[in-house]
C-alpha cells in the first residue's frame, strides 16, 4: 500500500515529464524556442520527447500495476515505440536504413515481454 504523499509526488513527477515530453515530441520548434537551446535539432528533440513520455508512462504504470518489471517495460515500450516512429518520420533528415527495423524489433520484444507478464499474472 502506497502512502498518499508518495502517490501524489509520483503523479506530479509523471505530469512534469509528460508535459515537457509531449511538447518536445509534437511541437519541437516551440519547445526548443522555450528552452532557448541552439542549434535546433528536430530529430534529437523528438527523441528527447519520446524518452520523457516513456518515463512518465512508466511512473503512472507503476502506480497502477504492482509489478516493477511490468511498469519498466511499459515505459520502455512507449519510449521505444515513439523513438521508432520519430526515426521513421525523420528519415528525410538522416539516420540509417536499419534504424527503423532495429528499433521496431526492440519495441516488439518489449511488447512480447509485457504480454508474457500479463499471461503469467492471469494464470
Amino acid at each position: 500500500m502506497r502512502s498518499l504523499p508518495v502517490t501524489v509526488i509520483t503523479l506530479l513527477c509523471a505530469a512534469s515529464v509528460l508535459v515537457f515530453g509531449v511538447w518536445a515530441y509534437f511541437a519541437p520548434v516551440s519547445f526548443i524556442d522555450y528552452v532557448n537551446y541552439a542549434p535546433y535539432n528536430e530529430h534529437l528533440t523528438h527523441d528527447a520527447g519520446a524518452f520523457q513520455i516513456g518515463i512518465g508512462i512508466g511512473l503512472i504504470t507503476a502506480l497502477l500495476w504492482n509489478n516493477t518489471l511490468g511498469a519498466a517495460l511499459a515505459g520502455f515500450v512507449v519510449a521505444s515505440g515513439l523513438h521508432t516512429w520519430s526515426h521513421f518520420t525523420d528519415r528525410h533528415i538522416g539516420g540509417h536504413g536499419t534504424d527503423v527495423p532495429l528499433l521496431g524489433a526492440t519495441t516488439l520484444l518489449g511488447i512480447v515481454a509485457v504480454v508474457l507478464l500479463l499471461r503469467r499474472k492471469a494464470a
Side-chain angles (χ1 to χ4, degrees), residues 22-49 86 89-90 92-93:
V22 167
W23 187 5
Y25 194 82
F26 293 103
V29 173
S30 170
F31 178 80
I32 291 299
D33 285 345
Y34 176 76
V35 297
N36 195 27
Y37 183 81
Y40 172 68
N41 183 314
E42 182 177 13
H43 180 74
L44 184 59
T45 307
H46 284 152
D47 284 354
S86 74
T89 59
D90 294 340
H92 64 284
I93 298 171

